[in-house]
Amino acid sequence: LADTALNCATSPLLKYKSVSPSQELRDASTKADTIVEEYRIEVSMRRDLFDIKQAAAANIKNAGKALELEEQRLVDKMLRDGKRAGLALPDKEFAELEAMQKELSNTCLEFEVSMYRS
């Protein structure tokens, strides 16, 4: 839901980098895109939220409570997605992954901008 709201708010602004005849507006839109992508990476790499989800799942399991099938599937999916995103990695490897994601995002943005300027 929050991701959809962010997309709705930023998409019109980010299109200027590819359609505006003004170099100044294209540059501002590119800078905004960089900021938005860095924010997306930071939000997706929130280890504190992943730790809370893991603790909640462990508390439910330790309490001997059974979740509804759909609820259990949601919990399993959230934990699986967090592990796949690298949130369960040791600190050093996690920091390397986060840096690589930011570098990849910047490289993709640079390529996209170069495609429009060609």
Side-chain angles (χ1 to χ4, degrees), residues 71-116:
E71 294 170 330
Q72 186 62 51
R73 184 173 175 179
L74 176 61
V75 169
D76 293 344
K77 184 180 183 314
M78 287 190 303
L79 295 178
R80 182 198 67 209
D81 290 350
K83 289 175 185 174
R84 286 181 177 174
L87 299 176
L89 290 172
D91 290 341
K92 182 180 177 190
E93 293 170 358
F94 177 79
E96 290 174 11
L97 175 63
E98 191 172 28
M100 286 190 298
Q101 284 185 337
K102 288 180 180 180
E103 182 181 349
L104 177 61
S105 175
N106 288 334
T107 302
C108 289
L109 182 59
E110 288 172 13
F111 175 75
E112 184 179 336
V113 168
S114 72
M115 292 299 294
Y116 291 121

Side-chain angles (χ1 to χ4, degrees), residues 28-55:
S29 181
T30 300
K31 184 176 181 180
D33 198 5
T34 302
I35 293 167
V36 169
E37 285 305 311
E38 286 178 5
Y39 173 76
R40 286 182 199 276
I41 291 169
E42 288 175 16
V43 168
S44 70
M45 302 297 285
R46 294 274 313 262
R47 287 179 106 175
D48 58 332
L49 296 179
F50 179 68
D51 292 341
I52 291 169
K53 291 174 188 176
Q54 285 184 313

Side-chain angles (χ1 to χ4, degrees), residues 13-31 113 116-117:
L13 302 173
L14 303 180
K15 296 296 180 197
Y16 286 107
K17 73 176 179 263
S18 58
V19 299
S20 178
S22 166
Q23 180 66 40
E24 184 178 304
L25 191 53
R26 288 193 309 264
D27 291 343
S29 181
T30 300
K31 184 176 181 180
V113 168
Y116 291 121
R117 293 191 177 144

Side-chain angles (χ1 to χ4, degrees), residues 1-8 40:
L1 184 61
D3 196 42
T4 302
L6 181 62
N7 284 340
C8 290
R40 286 182 199 276

